[in-house]
Amino acid sequence: MLNTTHRFKKPALVFTLILLLIVLTRFTNLKPDWGSFEIKTRQASTITVTGKAEKQELNQIAYFTAGVESIEESKEAALKKSTEAMNQLIEQVKAFGIQAEDIQTQNANVYQETEYVKETGVTNNLMYPDRGDAQKGDWRANNSVDITLRDVKRAEELLAILNNSGANYVTGPNFSLDDADQLADELLAEAVKNARAKAEKIAATNQQKVGKIITLSEDAVYPLYENYRSAMPLSGGGGMDAKLEPGSSTTAKTVSVTFELN
């Protein structure tokens, strides 16, 4: 017959030890110290730099302002003359090919002038005695419109039409880009590329490498006015033979980028 007593000695001993440990920890103040386990993560190093991108393009549109002013003895006459002159100007501009959405009234007002009359050296004007007595004078009516020309090659033609119209004053053209926002995506990519190149130069001095982007903030696309070139604004009322050069505009975008360093 086989002796199996030795097969149960070790399990019985383990069970006895476990039971003893339970009794000691539950019914006495003896508590075992199991130690502690703590996981610590290293905080990633980062670097924040700014990047910038610029692009120069030929101007595509031109802005003009044309206005008429009439001076008459009555309010009605001044308004009528001003309105008729402006309506005629707008008709000429539309016939030239400018769409209605590119013609916008900028200013329209009417007011009566004040005249100061001093008779026989006597005045009742106590506030401004040298001016004499205030009296109502003629009426002035003003009306002006802003005009957007989307084909800068025809700027000279439009300027000639405005100067030969009933307008009392003409300003423009002021040249600019049609829509600077369309460059936003292209400039953003270039600005981030510029920022990464800066970060890599700095990181290399510390034997580190630039990793992924952590945060990014960007500014809106903006024109660089110091590089803005256009024809000088012109004004007048008669014929003017002017050679206009649209020039170009430079737009820019800046970003602030935080990169991870490895």
Side-chain angles (χ1 to χ4, degrees):
M1 178 181 293
L2 294 175
N3 186 0
T4 58
T5 304
H6 69 281
R7 297 173 56 187
F8 299 98
K9 287 184 179 180
K10 289 186 178 180
L13 179 60
V14 172
F15 177 77
T16 302
L17 290 175
I18 294 175
L19 181 61
L20 179 60
L21 183 61
I22 293 174
V23 171
L24 289 174
T25 57
R26 184 170 182 83
F27 299 103
T28 69
N29 292 327
L30 179 62
K31 303 294 181 182
D33 184 6
W34 300 107
S36 62
F37 181 73
E38 182 179 358
I39 298 177
K40 291 185 177 181
T41 59
R42 183 177 61 87
Q43 187 174 3
S45 299
T46 61
I47 183 173
T48 301
V49 294
T50 59
K52 185 176 181 179
E54 299 178 5
K55 187 171 184 180
Q56 186 177 29
E57 287 196 345
L58 294 175
N59 291 316
Q60 300 108 13
I61 57 176
Y63 298 101
F64 294 83
T65 298
V68 297
E69 181 182 52
S70 59
I71 305 173
E72 300 292 335
E73 293 183 357
S74 68
K75 179 180 180 180
E76 291 74 16
L79 284 171
K80 180 179 179 182
K81 186 175 180 179
S82 174
T83 301
E84 289 177 351
M86 179 53 68
N87 289 342
Q88 184 178 10
L89 184 151
I90 292 175
E91 288 179 4
Q92 292 175 337
V93 170
K94 287 183 177 180
F96 172 74
I98 303 297
Q99 300 298 315
E101 56 267 26
D102 288 329
I103 304 173
Q104 182 178 8
T105 298
Q106 176 66 22
N107 184 43
N109 62 73
V110 58
Y111 63 94
Q112 191 173 21
E113 295 180 327
T114 300
E115 298 176 349
Y116 295 91
V117 180
K118 194 171 183 179
E119 298 179 357
T120 64
V122 179
T123 178
N124 294 321
N125 190 343
L126 299 179
M127 183 174 293
Y128 302 102
D130 294 336
R131 290 186 179 179
D133 294 330
Q135 295 183 6
K136 295 299 183 180
D138 292 334
W139 285 85
R140 286 179 178 265
N142 296 280
N143 201 341
S144 64
V145 291
D146 286 341
I147 303 167
T148 301
L149 175 65
R150 301 191 180 278
D151 183 1
V152 294
K153 295 179 181 179
R154 304 188 66 191
E156 294 174 15
E157 298 177 58
L158 181 57
L159 180 61
I161 291 175
L162 296 176
N163 283 330
N164 291 314
S165 69
N168 299 103
Y169 58 92
V170 176
T171 60
N174 292 314
F175 296 103
S176 72
L177 299 175
D178 189 7
D179 186 8
D181 290 339
Q182 66 183 352
L183 301 174
D185 292 341
E186 180 179 346
L187 290 174
L188 175 60
E190 290 297 323
V192 173
K193 183 179 178 180
N194 177 251
R196 182 176 287 276
K198 288 182 180 180
E200 288 175 346
K201 289 182 179 180
I202 298 172
T205 63
N206 197 38
Q207 290 78 48
Q208 291 180 293
K209 293 185 178 181
V210 177
K212 64 182 180 180
I213 294 175
I214 303 300
T215 62
L216 185 150
S217 62
E218 59 179 303
D219 293 334
V221 174
Y222 57 91
L224 295 180
Y225 292 102
E226 64 270 19
N227 294 328
Y228 179 82
R229 297 203 300 266
S230 71
M232 293 297 291
L234 304 173
S235 62
M240 184 179 294
D241 185 11
K243 180 65 176 177
L244 306 179
E245 298 295 340
S248 61
S249 295
T250 301
T251 53
K253 190 177 188 67
T254 59
V255 296
S256 178
V257 190
T258 299
F259 295 97
E260 183 179 44
L261 290 179
N262 301 316

